Amino acid sequence: MELSEVIARLRLDAGDSDGTVFTEAECRRAIARAVTRVNLDLGTRYAMGETELTPDPTEEHLELVLLAAHANLAGMRRSTSATTGVSFQSGDKRVDKTKAVSSWAELWDALWQQYRQIVAALTGDVDDDSIITPRDLHPVIYSQGSRRRRCRS
């Protein structure tokens, strides 16, 4: 799949169809990080080249890549908003951009939560962060009343 098509769909999802909010480099970086995350979570082997995403992802996987990339963009914007958030007042006019950080953080959190729900639905894994369950757990069963053998010399 052409990378330009993936970027266009990402911009549409992020509400940046004219390309004024996010740069091309930010979109590429967000997609690269999303592809890595999807590969880890789903066990896929997608690779992002200079001009294309190979092999062509299924529609479900592409939507997951776009969702993760959108979350990555929100995280990037949250970071830059933290350094540029200002609040000032001049006479009867007031400008307050300090809430931008929390707005981007809420969007980031909501997108990752949606991502985790979709991954859980696709893989069948339970998405419950309150329970820690190690993978490949094999119980050891001891029979009750067994005795140790004593060595006699």
Side-chain angles (χ1 to χ4, degrees):
M1 174 176 238
E2 291 295 319
L3 193 57
S4 59
E5 184 182 340
V6 178
I7 291 172
R9 288 178 72 170
L10 175 61
R11 286 188 185 281
L12 184 64
D13 288 351
D16 184 34
S17 55
D18 58 351
T20 57
V21 178
F22 300 106
T23 66
E24 177 90 12
E26 287 175 321
C27 290
R28 285 179 173 270
R29 178 67 181 136
I31 293 169
R33 291 177 64 199
V35 167
T36 302
R37 178 74 184 254
V38 168
N39 283 340
L40 288 173
D41 290 339
L42 299 181
T44 55
R45 299 264 184 221
Y46 298 118
M48 189 180 109
E50 282 296 315
T51 60
E52 62 184 355
L53 180 62
T54 57
D56 284 347
T58 64
E59 194 61 33
E60 287 177 329
H61 291 181
L62 179 60
E63 287 302 317
L64 204 56
V65 167
L66 290 170
L67 184 60
H70 190 180
N72 289 330
L73 286 176
M76 289 177 196
R77 194 56 65 215
R78 178 183 67 176
S79 297
T80 56
S81 296
T83 59
T84 59
V86 294
S87 175
F88 64 90
Q89 184 172 352
S90 176
D92 61 345
K93 296 182 181 184
R94 181 183 169 117
V95 175
D96 187 5
K97 294 186 178 181
T98 57
K99 303 287 185 206
V101 177
S102 61
S103 296
W104 284 111
E106 288 171 9
L107 177 62
W108 179 86
D109 189 44
L111 290 169
W112 280 121
Q113 187 171 1
Q114 185 180 358
Y115 174 89
R116 287 189 296 273
Q117 289 172 349
I118 294 172
V119 167
L122 289 174
T123 61
D125 289 341
V126 176
D127 186 27
D128 188 0
D129 294 333
S130 64
I131 299 173
I132 299 174
T133 307
R135 294 188 187 261
D136 300 326
L137 183 64
H138 302 287
V140 177
I141 301 173
Y142 293 97
S143 59
Q144 190 174 9
S146 63
R147 295 185 181 187
R148 279 185 18 198
R149 219 175 176 178
R150 292 188 184 189
C151 296
R152 294 184 188 182
S153 44

